[in-house]
């Protein structure tokens, strides 16, 4: 499983910069959002994996997953093309230099919360709905797919909004919506009410993902491939931690309340972080960017 996730993360780090190089700065939000909307695969997992497992067993599910992976590989090999731009080959020293840039850490932090939050919730929904409402795996998977679909499909919308109003302003809105929705879900007990709130939270985090990647090419356009990998790593780590936090919350307290509140608290911390960097970003690299910041 770890190897599969590793290859998935690597493909993500390749796809986003490759797509972004084809388009101008003022379209990066929507373009990167569309490229990242491949997260819709998590929706398909929630819909089909429980049904396939019920019919053929969980081992067969992993075997069947090879089929769409091979189809995508063939399509990529046949149709994919590189943009006609010069990309400087990176040395190890270039990677280490980026790690010393404080903006690189800020972007990793924001994506750890947005993408990490989206993945953490998506990974936990089935167990949450089964545990809290005594649903079957298939029914819980259907509700998980509904909630996760919001985040996957809303990512390009978030990027388009960031292109229009600026990535920082968009992130303020999306983190606020996600945090408030998660707080309300933590104290809610009605299944329909909580599905609506979690759908809203996942959608807001998905749109925040698109907004982060509207800003990233403006700041690190020449190092987009490296930074996509670094930021994506932060998001993957965040997804693991946040999914675990919900499990620990349930195991230690018998409730998901603390876990959801941790998710929400991180969204509010991200808002504070935006307040710390927005003036510097808008008056330095943002002042010469050909896009709204």
């Amino acid at each position: 499983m770890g190897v599969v996730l590793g290859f998935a993360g690597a493909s993500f780090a390749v796809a986003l910069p490759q797509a972004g190089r084809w388009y101008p700065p003022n379209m990066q939000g929507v373009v990167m959002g569309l490229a990242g909307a491949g997260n819709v695969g998590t929706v398909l997992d929630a819909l089909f994996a429980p049904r396939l497992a019920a019919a053929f067993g969980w081992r067969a599910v992993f075997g069947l997953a090879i089929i769409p992976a091979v189809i995508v590989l063939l399509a990529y090999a046949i149709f994919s093309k590189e943009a006609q731009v010069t990309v400087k080959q990176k040395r190890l020293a270039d990677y280490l230099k980026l790690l010393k840039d404080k903006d690189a850490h800020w972007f990793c932090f924001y994506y750890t919360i947005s993408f990490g939050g989206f993945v953490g919730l998506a990974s936990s929904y089935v167990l949450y709905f089964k545990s809290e409402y005594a649903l079957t795996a298939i029914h819980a998977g259907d509700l998980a797919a509904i909630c996760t679909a919001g985040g996957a499909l809303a990512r390009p919308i978030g990027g388009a909004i960031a292109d229009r109003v600026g990535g920082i302003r968009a992130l303020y809105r999306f983190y606020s919506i996600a945090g408030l929705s998660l707080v309300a879900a933590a104290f809610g007990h009605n299944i329909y009410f909580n599905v609506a709130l979690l759908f809203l939270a996942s959608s807001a985090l998905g749109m925040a993902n698109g907004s982060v990647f509207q800003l990233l090419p403006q700041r690190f356009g020449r190092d987009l491939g490296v930074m996509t990998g670094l930021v994506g790593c932060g998001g993957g780590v965040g997804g693991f931690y946040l999914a675990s936090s919900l499990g620990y919350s349930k195991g230690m307290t018998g409730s998901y309340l603390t876990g959801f509140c941790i998710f929400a608290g991180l969204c509010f911390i991200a808002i504070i972080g935006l307040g710390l960097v927005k003036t510097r970003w808008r008056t330095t690299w943002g002042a010469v960017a050909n896009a709204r910041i």
Side-chain angles (χ1 to χ4, degrees):
M1 178 62 75
V3 173
V4 172
L5 292 174
F7 277 112
S11 65
F12 174 85
V14 171
L16 288 182
Q18 185 178 22
R21 293 187 186 111
W22 282 95
Y23 297 89
N26 63 330
M27 295 183 64
Q28 289 298 302
V30 66
V31 169
M32 299 289 247
L34 286 169
N39 292 333
V40 74
T42 57
V43 180
L44 301 179
D45 289 344
L47 280 174
F48 295 111
R51 289 174 166 82
L52 291 172
F56 306 108
W58 278 108
R59 290 186 179 181
V61 173
F62 291 102
L64 292 169
I66 296 173
I67 297 173
V70 171
I71 292 173
V72 171
L73 172 62
L74 292 174
Y76 182 84
I78 294 170
F79 299 109
S80 175
K81 295 180 180 179
E82 293 285 355
Q84 298 301 310
V85 297
T86 301
V87 180
K88 181 182 177 181
Q89 187 174 3
K90 298 297 181 183
R91 300 172 299 172
L92 179 60
D94 297 320
Y95 291 74
L96 297 175
K97 182 179 179 180
L98 281 175
L99 287 173
K100 297 178 182 178
D101 191 313
K102 58 184 177 182
D103 282 349
H105 295 275
W106 278 115
F107 275 103
C108 287
F109 171 66
Y110 295 135
Y111 202 64
T112 294
I113 296 174
S114 63
F115 185 73
F118 167 76
V119 171
L121 288 172
S123 302
S124 305
Y125 280 144
V126 172
L127 292 177
Y128 167 75
F129 287 121
K130 286 177 63 179
S131 173
E132 292 295 289
Y133 302 105
L135 303 179
T136 65
I138 292 177
H139 191 185
D142 290 342
L143 295 182
I146 291 172
C147 295
T148 307
L153 299 177
R155 181 166 179 153
I157 298 174
I161 292 173
D163 283 335
R164 185 175 181 83
V165 306
I168 294 175
R169 187 173 290 110
L171 283 173
Y172 269 121
R173 298 173 182 176
F174 300 144
Y175 283 135
S176 297
I177 293 171
L180 293 173
S181 298
L182 288 168
V183 170
F187 292 95
H189 299 290
N190 181 277
I191 185 171
Y192 301 107
F193 180 69
N194 273 24
V195 166
L197 287 170
L198 293 173
F199 174 86
L200 185 59
S202 288
S203 298
L205 291 171
M207 287 189 281
N209 293 334
S211 299
V212 170
F213 271 92
Q214 185 266 350
L215 291 169
L216 190 67
Q218 319 306 329
R219 175 62 179 87
F220 293 103
R222 295 181 180 179
D223 302 294
L224 189 56
V226 178
M227 281 306 303
T228 299
L230 288 175
V231 171
C233 175
V237 171
F240 169 78
Y241 165 72
L242 290 172
S244 298
S245 73
L246 283 176
Y248 282 123
S249 174
K250 179 65 174 179
M252 296 176 67
T253 69
S255 169
Y256 289 100
L257 188 148
T258 302
F260 280 129
C261 288
I262 289 174
F263 270 64
L266 290 173
C267 291
F268 298 134
I269 291 173
I271 292 172
I272 296 172
L274 288 170
L276 295 176
V277 301
K278 69 175 182 179
T279 300
R280 178 171 60 83
W281 283 9
R282 286 171 174 167
T283 56
T284 53
W285 55 268
V288 295
N290 293 318
R292 288 183 179 272
I293 302 301

